[in-house]
Amino acid sequence: MIRRLRIPATGELFRTVVANTSARALAILGLTLATVLVARTGGPSAVGEYALLRMLPGLVGVLCVLGLPGALAYFLAAPRRNLPRLWPTLAAIGLGGALLGTVVWLVASPVVAHVFFPHESTLMIAAAGLTVPTQLSLTLGKTTLQGLEDRRGGDVVIAAEELAFLPCYLLPLLSGIHGVAAIVIGLGLADLVVAVEAWRRASRLLGWRRFGLAGNGFGWFGRPDRGLAGQVASYGLRGQVGGLITLLNLRLDFAILGAMAGPAVLGSYAVASKYAELLRLPGNALTWVFYPRLAKLGQREAASTARRMIRPTLIGIVLAALPIVLLTSPVMRLLYGAEFGPAVIPARVLLAGMLLAGASGVASAYFYGRGTPGLNSIVLGIGLVITVVLDLLLIPAHGALGAAIASTAAYLATDALLIGLLLRLSGRATPRHGRTAVPASEVSS
C-alpha cells in the first residue's frame, strides 16, 4: 500500500524533471542558433566576445547582491515566505546590488577592455555595463519563480532566456549595427523582455496588485528589515560562494583562454563547451526541482529521497552520453562550418567530465535544501583550485585542448566529492533498519 502511494509522487517528480530538462534543452537550442548567427556574421572572434559578454556582466551583478539568487528559493519556501518585511528587504538588496554592480563595471571597464576585448573601444565595453542590471533582474525573477514552485513559469523563463536573444540580436543587425554593439543591444533587450514576463508571473502568484501593493501586506513597499537582510546575506553568501565557484569552473577557462590565446581560439572552445554542457542539463534540472522541495521536508525524508536518486541519475547520464559523443563531429561541422573543426576533440574531452553531473545535481539540491550551502561551496572550491592550476599549466602549451582537460578533471573531482559527501551525510540521517516513515503529503497524493 505504501509503495503504491509513492508512485504518483514519483511520476510527478519525473515529469517535472523532464519538463525542466526540456526547457533547458530549448535554451541550449536558442543559444546554439544565436551562436551560429554570431559565428556566420563575425567568425570565431565574435563568438568569443559573445561568450564573454554573456558571462562577465552577470557575474559582477550576482557578486554585488550578496548571493541573493541562491537564497531566494530557500526564503520563499513555506513558512519563511510569510516573514514580515521579507519583500522590501529582498528588493533593497536587489536594487542596491544592481546599482553597485553597474558602477563597478563602469570603473573596471578600461581594464576589462584591455584584457578581454583588445580590439574594442573602452566606451563600448563600458556600455556593456548596462546589461549588469538587466541580467540581474532576469536572474532574480527566475529564481523567485523557483522558490514559489511555479514550475511551468520557471521552465518558460529558462527557455526564453536564450531563445529571446536571437530576435533581439537581429534587430540591431537589420538596423546596420554590427559587432560588439549588436551583441550588447541584443543581450540587454532579451534580458528585459524575459525579466518582465518572469516578474509578471511572480506578481500574479503572490496576489500583488498595482506596482507591488499586495492585499496580504507582503508587497514591495515598506521598510527593509536589517536583521532579516543579514540572514539572507549570510545564507546567500555561503551559497553564492558555491554558485560563483560553479560559474568559474564552467567559465573561468573562458577568461583564461581568452586572455592567453585570444578570441578566435576562445570562440571554438566556447562552442565545444556549450555542446558538452548538454549532459549537465538533467543535473541542473534536478537541482532546480529538488532544492525547494527538500527545503520543506524533514531531515530523514530529505535524505532518503536524495539517496534514491543517485543510481538512476548515474545510469541515465552515461546512456545519454553515447549518442552525444558520436554526433560531436557532424554537429560541429554542419552547424558552424569547417572553421570550428578544432572544437571537436575538446568537446569530447569535456563530455567525459559531465558523466557524474546528474548525481551531483541531486547532492547540491540536498545541501541547499537542508540549509547547508557552505558544504557545497567547500567542495566546489576544490574543483576551482584544480581548474586554475591545470589551466595555467596546460593552456599555454595545448590551447583549447588544455582548457578542456583541466575542466574535465575539475568536473569529475568535484562531482565525485559531492556525491560521496551526500552518501555519507544522508546515511547518518536515515534509519539503518526499517523503512523511512511516509509523510502525510505523500500519502494524500
Side-chain angles (χ1 to χ4, degrees), residues 48-64 96-117 120-135 180 183-184 187 255:
E49 292 172 341
Y50 172 47
L52 290 171
L53 288 170
R54 289 185 70 257
M55 175 188 69
L56 295 177
L59 177 61
V60 171
V62 168
L63 286 174
C64 290
L99 178 60
L100 176 61
T102 304
V103 172
V104 168
W105 180 272
L106 291 175
V107 172
S109 56
V111 176
V112 173
H114 177 73
V115 174
F116 298 109
F117 305 94
E120 303 296 337
S121 69
T122 300
L123 181 61
M124 180 55 62
I125 300 307
L130 296 175
T131 65
V132 172
T134 60
Q135 289 191 40
V180 170
I183 294 173
V184 171
L187 287 171

Side-chain angles (χ1 to χ4, degrees), residues 347-369:
R348 288 175 173 163
V349 172
L350 288 167
L351 283 168
M354 305 293 177
L355 293 178
L356 303 179
S360 69
V362 175
S364 294
Y366 178 75
F367 298 137
Y368 274 87

Side-chain angles (χ1 to χ4, degrees), residues 19-161:
N20 190 261
T21 302
S22 300
R24 294 176 186 276
L26 283 174
I28 290 290
L29 175 62
L31 178 61
T32 300
L33 294 175
T35 305
V36 169
L37 181 59
V38 173
R40 296 293 184 180
T41 57
S45 295
V47 174
E49 292 172 341
Y50 172 47
L52 290 171
L53 288 170
R54 289 185 70 257
M55 175 188 69
L56 295 177
L59 177 61
V60 171
V62 168
L63 286 174
C64 290
V65 290
L66 305 176
L68 181 58
L72 273 174
Y74 182 78
F75 280 89
L76 292 181
R80 291 177 290 273
R81 180 183 304 173
N82 294 322
L83 288 171
R85 293 155 61 186
L86 174 64
W87 284 104
T89 302
L90 298 178
I93 297 174
L95 292 173
L99 178 60
L100 176 61
T102 304
V103 172
V104 168
W105 180 272
L106 291 175
V107 172
S109 56
V111 176
V112 173
H114 177 73
V115 174
F116 298 109
F117 305 94
H119 303 298
E120 303 296 337
S121 69
T122 300
L123 181 61
M124 180 55 62
I125 300 307
L130 296 175
T131 65
V132 172
T134 60
Q135 289 191 40
L136 188 57
S137 177
L138 173 54
T139 300
L140 294 177
K142 180 173 61 175
T143 51
T144 295
L145 291 175
Q146 178 194 19
L148 296 175
E149 295 193 74
D150 179 6
R151 300 179 185 92
R152 179 175 297 180
D155 292 345
V156 168
V157 172
I158 288 171
E161 182 177 2

Side-chain angles (χ1 to χ4, degrees), residues 29-345:
L29 175 62
L31 178 61
T32 300
L33 294 175
T35 305
V36 169
L37 181 59
V38 173
R40 296 293 184 180
T41 57
S45 295
V47 174
E49 292 172 341
Y50 172 47
L52 290 171
L53 288 170
R54 289 185 70 257
M55 175 188 69
L56 295 177
L59 177 61
V60 171
V62 168
L63 286 174
C64 290
V65 290
L66 305 176
L68 181 58
L72 273 174
Y74 182 78
F75 280 89
L76 292 181
R80 291 177 290 273
R81 180 183 304 173
N82 294 322
L83 288 171
R85 293 155 61 186
L86 174 64
W87 284 104
T89 302
L90 298 178
I93 297 174
L95 292 173
L99 178 60
L100 176 61
T102 304
V103 172
V104 168
W105 180 272
L106 291 175
V107 172
S109 56
V111 176
V112 173
H114 177 73
V115 174
F116 298 109
F117 305 94
H119 303 298
E120 303 296 337
S121 69
T122 300
L123 181 61
M124 180 55 62
I125 300 307
L130 296 175
T131 65
V132 172
T134 60
Q135 289 191 40
L136 188 57
S137 177
L138 173 54
T139 300
L140 294 177
K142 180 173 61 175
T143 51
T144 295
L145 291 175
Q146 178 194 19
L148 296 175
E149 295 193 74
D150 179 6
R151 300 179 185 92
R152 179 175 297 180
D155 292 345
V156 168
V157 172
I158 288 171
E161 182 177 2
E162 301 296 351
L163 291 170
F165 174 75
L166 188 58
C168 292
Y169 178 59
L170 283 172
L171 287 177
L173 289 181
L174 295 174
S175 302
I177 302 173
H178 299 276
V180 170
I183 294 173
V184 171
I185 293 172
L187 287 171
L189 286 176
D191 291 340
L192 287 175
V193 169
V194 182
V196 167
E197 172 61 15
W199 285 111
R200 185 191 69 80
R201 286 177 173 270
S203 298
R204 185 181 61 189
L205 288 170
L206 292 165
W208 293 0
R209 301 293 184 268
R210 303 170 54 195
F211 309 108
L213 291 173
N216 60 8
F218 294 99
W220 284 114
F221 296 108
R223 184 165 55 88
D225 186 319
R226 182 174 298 181
L228 180 58
Q231 295 176 38
V232 174
S234 175
Y235 181 98
L237 287 174
R238 283 182 288 134
Q240 190 54 53
V241 170
L244 174 61
I245 292 173
T246 298
L247 180 60
L248 289 175
N249 277 332
L250 289 171
R251 295 292 176 263
L252 184 61
D253 49 357
F254 279 32
I256 296 176
L257 185 63
M260 288 186 170
V265 175
L266 174 60
S268 293
Y269 182 74
V271 167
S273 180
K274 279 301 178 184
Y275 181 79
E277 285 173 22
L278 286 171
L279 279 185
R280 191 168 287 275
L281 298 184
N284 291 337
L286 286 164
T287 301
W288 178 273
V289 171
F290 264 119
Y291 167 23
R293 294 189 178 201
L294 294 180
K296 299 188 297 185
L297 295 178
Q299 180 69 21
R300 287 185 175 182
E301 184 60 24
S304 176
T305 300
R307 289 176 69 89
R308 286 200 307 268
M309 295 301 299
I310 296 298
R311 182 176 296 178
T313 53
L314 287 173
I315 296 173
I317 295 298
V318 171
L319 294 177
L322 296 176
I324 296 177
V325 170
L326 294 175
L327 291 171
T328 303
S329 181
V331 168
M332 292 292 176
R333 298 180 188 279
L334 178 64
L335 289 180
Y336 300 101
E339 284 182 292
F340 288 84
V344 173
I345 294 178

